[in-house]
Amino acid sequence: MEYQDGEALVCMDCGATHEPEGGLLVCGKCGGLLEVAYPRSVFRSVSFNGRGVWRYRSILPRVERTVTLGEGDTPLVKVERLGESLGLRNLYVKFEGANPTGSFKDRGMTVAVSIALKFHARSVACASTGNTSASMSAYAARAGLRSIVFLPDGYVAPGKLLQAVAHGSTIVRVRGNFDEALKTLLSHREELGVYVLNSVNPYRVEGQKTVAFEIWEGLNRTPDFVVYPVGNAANISSGWKGFKELVEAGLADSKPRMIGVQAEGAAPIAKAFLRGEEAIETVEKPETVATAIRIGRPFSWKRALKALRDSRGTAVTVSDGEILRAQVDLARMEGLFAEPAGAAPVAGLARLSKQGFFKGDETIVAVVTGHGLKDPSVNIEPYAELIIHPGENPAEALRKLL
Ligand code: F0G
């Protein structure tokens, strides 16, 4: 389909096309998720200029004022020691913890908050396991918008909560899990008069797809595999959209295979994929140490399953123990400190590698989505610690300790 006048919003379920307009979140006809679609001419004249997310402006929605904190352009690090321990010779980490608020959410938020201004929103809101709220609060502050965050009470990492507070958001603690917090927000969004910035918002996906462009440019090729932690499943779907658009623009000649990693206690998508089922079974009481992905009713499950299947990828579940092991390995072998959800892709790779899934020479990129400083409540054991009095000899005390 040709859209003569810039981008349009297309329903991923029924295919209906909608004019972009303020507040439209889901398909007016069937309630399906919307995706931003561009005229073909856009892909014929792609040009990349500058740095970060807005380097890819020519394949992003048109905005009037850009609300930016310099997001994107994150390190792509070859992790040789970690790779060797997993039997993977060409393993890279895309360290999204290096974004301004410490997670990949900033990529989506710079676009979606810029769009919120274009649609003349006064207030923005989201439900969040923590990172979305941290990011939204910062970008809303920068844009001069009011922001309200709906958080699952008691299950948001302290660093993330502090960020929302610091940036001046109003905090609504919902006595329930993330799924319930999101439902509460969505069913009252009109009364609240807010523009919703959860990843149901199609503009978030547009910003988040830019990680694919950076990976492709950073490696100078398409990797064989890209590995994502999966919660609501928007991010893995965004990455897949980005890789598809590189091919559509005639820049890349292949697409990677996508791997989705979920925590055992919150794995509706991985389970459906592995059982070959068409639909997910929701998890009523999701549980995992990786609170960022403690989600039982992922909004974008359909497009994530499609991404996994269309890319001939796979899914894997990992235990909390494996996630914490991966967190320590990343930190101690490579100097990269990830929050538990951010380390989940590494745990997934360890699992798959043990199962003989890889040959060993494939080029693999693990998307490490959030910074370890976000979650100081995680116990990192074991570690060496020495308590001494002034004047005591630390070398002697250390000898006794070790
Ligand atoms: N990793 C981190 C660090 C996250 O914060 C999230 C999601 C994900 C992975 C999963 O991404 O939901 O697109 O599959 N955090 C959301 C939040 C839910 O509210 O911050 P997804």
Side-chain angles (χ1 to χ4, degrees):
M1 163 172 273
E2 258 323 289
Y3 314 109
Q4 299 304 340
D5 190 28
E7 69 268 6
L9 295 176
V10 176
C11 174
M12 299 189 71
D13 284 345
C14 75
T17 302
H18 304 271
E19 279 295 313
E21 56 180 349
L24 185 65
L25 265 196
V26 291
C27 177
K29 287 203 175 135
C30 77
L33 280 181
L34 296 171
E35 184 171 79
V36 176
Y38 300 89
R40 252 181 242 122
S41 56
V42 161
F43 295 104
R44 283 189 223 112
S45 55
V46 169
S47 66
F48 298 158
N49 295 301
R51 302 178 70 159
V53 165
W54 295 98
R55 170 174 175 73
Y56 308 102
R57 189 182 284 274
S58 66
I59 21 180
L60 288 175
R62 290 163 310 167
V63 298
E64 282 153 19
R65 184 180 141 207
T66 308
V67 183
T68 178
L69 291 165
E71 54 292 315
D73 203 8
T74 55
L76 180 65
V77 186
K78 184 156 193 196
V79 287
E80 284 175 0
R81 295 179 65 210
L82 179 65
E84 195 180 318
S85 76
L86 301 175
L88 303 171
R89 289 188 288 286
N90 290 304
L91 178 61
Y92 294 79
V93 163
K94 183 67 172 160
F95 189 56
E96 291 288 279
N99 275 298
T101 77
S103 83
F104 71 94
K105 305 286 181 181
D106 298 344
R107 292 182 185 274
M109 221 43 92
T110 184
V111 174
V113 171
S114 301
I115 290 283
L117 288 186
K118 185 170 160 179
F119 292 156
H120 309 294
R122 307 278 295 275
S123 305
V124 291
C126 70
S128 177
T129 56
N131 281 323
T132 300
S133 54
S135 182
M136 186 190 80
S137 304
Y139 284 83
R142 182 123 170 105
L145 295 170
R146 248 191 89 207
S147 63
I148 311 176
V149 302
F150 287 67
L151 304 178
D153 194 21
Y155 287 93
V156 172
K160 302 175 188 179
L161 180 60
L162 178 60
Q163 286 178 289
V165 171
H167 294 300
S169 278
T170 300
I171 313 286
V172 180
R173 293 175 187 268
V174 180
R175 297 218 186 271
N177 59 33
F178 167 82
D179 304 300
E180 290 154 334
L182 181 59
K183 195 171 162 200
T184 308
L185 167 60
L186 291 181
S187 43
H188 296 283
R189 70 189 168 98
E190 274 166 29
E191 283 158 84
L192 289 163
V194 292
Y195 184 52
V196 173
L197 289 178
N198 275 95
S199 55
V200 287
N201 184 310
Y203 297 100
R204 285 268 313 279
V205 168
E206 291 309 292
Q208 287 174 205
K209 76 185 180 188
T210 59
V211 80
F213 306 157
E214 285 181 18
I215 290 171
W216 175 77
E217 284 198 293
L219 293 173
N220 233 331
R221 56 163 290 189
T222 303
D224 299 303
F225 291 95
V226 184
V227 194
Y228 280 85
V230 176
N232 247 325
N235 203 30
I236 191 167
S237 314
S238 313
W240 179 236
K241 187 173 194 274
F243 284 111
K244 282 194 298 184
E245 289 183 356
L246 284 173
V247 171
E248 203 169 337
L251 294 169
D253 47 20
S254 65
K255 289 170 275 191
R257 295 171 70 184
M258 309 295 280
I259 300 180
V261 183
Q262 291 203 294
E264 263 166 17
I269 294 173
K271 285 186 180 156
F273 179 86
L274 294 171
R275 291 185 193 134
E277 285 164 2
E278 286 308 309
I280 60 160
E281 229 172 82
T282 56
V283 177
E284 284 318 304
K285 292 203 179 330
E287 269 316 333
T288 168
V289 67
T291 51
I293 52 173
R294 187 174 169 272
I295 294 173
R297 278 182 253 152
F299 229 91
S300 294
W301 65 269
K302 219 184 264 179
R303 57 180 161 184
L305 275 183
K306 188 162 165 33
L308 295 175
R309 292 198 174 123
D310 289 355
S311 73
R312 296 181 303 113
T314 194
V316 59
T317 64
V318 290
S319 68
D320 280 358
E322 289 171 299
I323 290 173
L324 294 175
R325 172 84 257 148
Q327 184 187 31
V328 167
D329 287 349
L330 260 172
R332 295 192 181 170
M333 288 185 201
E334 301 295 349
L336 293 169
F337 189 26
E339 65 169 288
V346 172
L349 283 171
R351 227 337 141 112
L352 287 171
S353 190
K354 251 186 244 145
Q355 292 169 1
F357 183 84
F358 299 108
K359 290 199 300 266
D361 60 353
E362 299 93 335
T363 300
I364 304 172
V365 179
V367 182
V368 170
T369 45
H371 204 292
L373 287 171
K374 294 256 187 188
D375 197 353
S377 63
V378 172
N379 277 323
I380 296 184
E381 309 264 15
Y383 61 97
E385 185 179 64
L386 192 63
I387 299 173
I388 59 169
H389 298 286
E392 252 182 89
N393 179 346
E396 220 166 80
L398 257 181
R399 265 195 299 279
K400 277 187 217 147
L401 179 82
L402 298 175

